[in-house]
Amino acid sequence: MNLTTAPRGTFDLMPQQALVWQWMESSIRAVLLSYGYGEIRTPIFEHTELFQRGIGETTDIVEKEMYTLTDKGGRSLTLRPEGTASVVRAYIQHKLYGQSPVTKLFYIGPMFRQERPQAGRFRQFHQFGVEMIGEESPVADAEVILLAHDLYCQLGLTELEIHLNTVGCPQCRQEYKAALTSALAAVAEQLCSTCRLRLVRNPLRLLDCKSPVCQEVISRVPSIHNYLCTDCHHHFDQVTTLLEQVGVKYKLSPKLVRGLDYYTRTVFEIINTDLGAQNALCGGGRYDGLVAECGGPAVPGVGFASGIERLYTTLEQNGKLPEFACGPQLYILPLGEELAVVAFEIATDLRRQGFSVEMGNGTKSLKAQMKAAHKSGAGFVLIIGEEEWRERQVTLKIMADGSQKRLPASGLMEEITKLVSPRGPQVPLREE
Ligand code: AMP
């Protein structure tokens, strides 16, 4: 084991990247709040059974990918592999159904799956997602799809494809599963070993197998659209009409089933074609049976989850990531150790006013300290020299043009506030 390398499938975010992530997260939050979603923060781990029940025993996530541990009390706990089951659990636990007919929640945070790491696929990754619980109308499906689409557009993405399908309700799906199983049973030996198992345990999952041989076989099986009941048919028609109404293009993908068992009716993915093999930015759909399955009332739900790493990559590839200055705004440079005390006081006052400030310790020459100030990336340098300080004055150097001016220390805060806005929260100044 290499103790100086992060575990496989995980990564560190360094300060410069963390600033970009903060920007992504705050942009996402702003859009979701504007659509009327409230943020929910659920625990990173839950009882294992929640995911087994919620996501489905025969899904890849539950069968192969969960990080499960037994705690000292003998309880089985699992690091959350996705967000919906936890939100639904919280919805039931806090009886949100009693507060209003429709609940709109969003989450943002890390998820954990023991998958084979590759580009766009990590073991600790980050998702944001929305859940609209309590609304059965197809308007909700269309709204959720549009929200994901508009959010990406607001961040500057344009090359997006919405892939849309329906997986019907448990009734019509049952019929379709039977038709699918009998169509595939005859050609089972042509399928990959995973799909031969799926054929017995979860035939619908076969439809999105990536193996070219299976794809060829699957291209000949009947479509679920021929098996939809009248209500499911009508629901899907309404969703597509609504999207067309607002001019949003989508592609019908009759083989899109998604990897989680809880979906009913509408399922969708938004793809960015630049991303390569792992090109889904987000995926979601309707889950009308999930709340009841997890022990709550029979209320419908619809939502999506979006990967933040993939969003980052897409924004980066499209030149849509803003650049942020990482260094301090001001660098204070005392000429001599005694003046370091003065510099420390000034730095403290400025920091308490929300400015980001670094300082030299006064032991090095002006030249050496100036080099450090340059390296820090600060836009302004305050030089505190012996002679100036005798008159309680300092020199302010503006790095952009190299100009400098002498200022009385008493008017410093006012002068700096004119030049630059504080980055952080303000703490009341010390009492004199
Ligand atoms: P899912 O929860 O599997 O429906 O995935 C929803 C979205 O989360 C995907 O479209 C990806 O953007 C992202 N995602 C899922 N699994 C991973 C992973 N292992 N690494 C990075 N992103 C992921």
Side-chain angles (χ1 to χ4, degrees):
M1 189 194 308
N2 185 348
L3 292 184
T4 53
T5 307
R8 226 164 102 71
T10 69
F11 58 88
D12 301 307
L13 274 183
M14 303 315 278
Q16 190 69 45
Q17 291 168 304
L19 286 174
V20 179
W21 273 66
Q22 279 175 21
W23 166 79
M24 282 199 299
E25 288 169 351
S26 56
S27 310
I28 291 164
R29 276 199 175 89
V31 176
L32 299 181
L33 287 167
S34 76
Y35 271 76
Y37 287 81
E39 181 169 358
I40 180 164
R41 299 193 187 195
T42 62
I44 297 289
F45 59 84
E46 298 271 1
H47 294 120
T48 302
E49 210 190 327
L50 175 70
F51 301 119
Q52 289 169 334
R53 277 262 207 110
I55 302 173
E57 295 273 8
T58 58
T59 55
D60 284 352
I61 294 182
V62 171
E63 281 190 334
K64 300 188 260 183
E65 297 169 0
M66 295 205 303
Y67 283 98
T68 297
L69 58 108
T70 307
D71 73 2
K72 292 203 172 78
R75 287 167 288 259
S76 179
L77 301 168
T78 293
L79 299 184
R80 62 182 188 192
E82 56 102 60
T84 304
S86 304
V87 173
V88 165
R89 193 263 312 132
Y91 171 84
I92 300 167
Q93 180 176 341
H94 301 285
K95 299 191 173 55
L96 298 186
Y97 43 85
Q99 292 179 17
S100 71
V102 180
T103 304
K104 291 164 83 172
L105 296 169
F106 79 87
Y107 58 84
I108 181 161
M111 306 291 161
F112 306 85
R113 295 184 197 171
Q114 192 163 356
E115 298 193 83
R116 191 172 63 78
Q118 53 189 291
R121 216 166 254 295
F122 303 91
R123 289 183 168 171
Q124 175 175 332
F125 60 100
H126 299 77
Q127 281 184 336
F128 69 91
V130 307
E131 314 296 349
M132 192 198 296
I133 310 179
E135 182 56 83
E136 64 181 349
S137 159
V139 175
D141 309 38
E143 187 188 307
V144 162
I145 297 169
L146 270 173
L147 162 56
H149 180 265
D150 286 359
L151 191 150
Y152 297 139
C153 290
Q154 287 197 32
L155 289 175
L157 299 181
T158 47
E159 301 306 306
L160 302 167
E161 276 179 16
I162 300 175
H163 290 200
L164 190 64
N165 193 24
T166 172
V167 289
C169 62
Q171 284 73 38
C172 51
R173 191 155 56 202
Q174 211 48 43
E175 238 185 273
Y176 178 60
K177 267 188 187 172
L180 192 62
T181 313
S182 75
L184 287 167
V187 287
E189 72 288 349
Q190 294 173 31
L191 298 168
C192 72
S193 54
T194 317
C195 280
R196 279 203 292 270
L197 256 173
R198 285 178 178 151
L199 187 55
V200 184
R201 308 187 62 189
N202 196 345
L204 229 62
R205 286 298 322 281
L206 243 133
L207 295 181
D208 63 5
C209 178
K210 300 284 177 283
S211 135
V213 182
C214 295
Q215 281 289 314
E216 210 282 311
V217 175
I218 291 157
S219 67
R220 287 179 269 125
V221 301
S223 159
I224 188 157
H225 290 262
N226 302 330
Y227 290 81
L228 294 179
C229 63
T230 317
D231 285 351
C232 285
H233 220 289
H234 181 65
H235 189 97
F236 192 63
D237 265 358
Q238 292 281 100
V239 175
T240 53
T241 306
L242 286 161
L243 291 178
E244 284 157 21
Q245 199 75 30
V246 290
V248 168
K249 293 201 175 66
Y250 58 86
K251 284 192 168 177
L252 280 184
S253 299
K255 303 279 156 31
L256 177 70
V257 287
R258 317 259 313 115
L260 302 96
D261 269 3
Y262 49 61
Y263 288 113
T264 50
R265 295 191 166 166
T266 315
V267 287
F268 73 97
E269 281 183 350
I270 299 185
I271 306 288
N272 179 270
T273 36
D274 304 335
L275 268 180
Q278 307 301 327
N279 60 4
L281 280 174
C282 79
R286 183 163 273 288
Y287 47 83
D288 289 347
L290 182 61
V291 181
E293 180 66 34
C294 293
V299 290
V302 56
F304 72 81
S306 172
I308 300 184
E309 285 76 7
R310 289 190 201 172
L311 181 58
Y312 180 96
T313 310
T314 311
L315 290 168
E316 192 176 37
Q317 283 171 354
N318 287 275
K320 299 290 180 190
L321 287 181
E323 278 186 27
F324 292 97
C326 199
Q329 294 172 296
L330 283 114
Y331 195 97
I332 306 185
L333 197 158
L335 296 178
E337 264 181 282
E338 281 105 89
L339 291 174
V341 180
V342 176
F344 184 68
E345 250 188 283
I346 296 176
T348 306
D349 281 351
L350 286 166
R351 285 170 180 155
R352 285 179 172 163
Q353 287 306 296
F355 295 100
S356 128
V357 181
E358 278 308 328
M359 61 172 275
N361 62 14
T363 57
K364 298 211 175 84
S365 68
L366 172 63
K367 198 172 161 206
Q369 290 198 79
M370 210 53 201
K371 216 170 152 188
H374 258 294
K375 215 170 161 197
S376 76
F380 304 92
V381 177
L382 265 189
I383 304 164
I384 305 175
E386 215 174 303
E387 192 192 311
E388 294 126 298
W389 190 246
R390 248 183 258 124
E391 293 164 37
R392 294 295 177 265
Q393 290 195 334
V394 295
T395 300
L396 178 71
K397 185 173 168 110
I398 300 171
M399 301 300 264
D401 58 12
S403 64
Q404 54 184 59
K405 55 178 163 183
R406 266 204 192 203
L407 300 169
S410 54
L412 192 59
M413 192 67 76
E414 202 186 326
E415 191 67 26
I416 287 173
T417 312
K418 274 192 229 153
L419 292 168
V420 56
S421 321
R423 275 187 195 151
Q426 297 177 23
V427 177
L429 280 179
R430 282 169 302 128
E431 283 188 10
E432 294 302 327

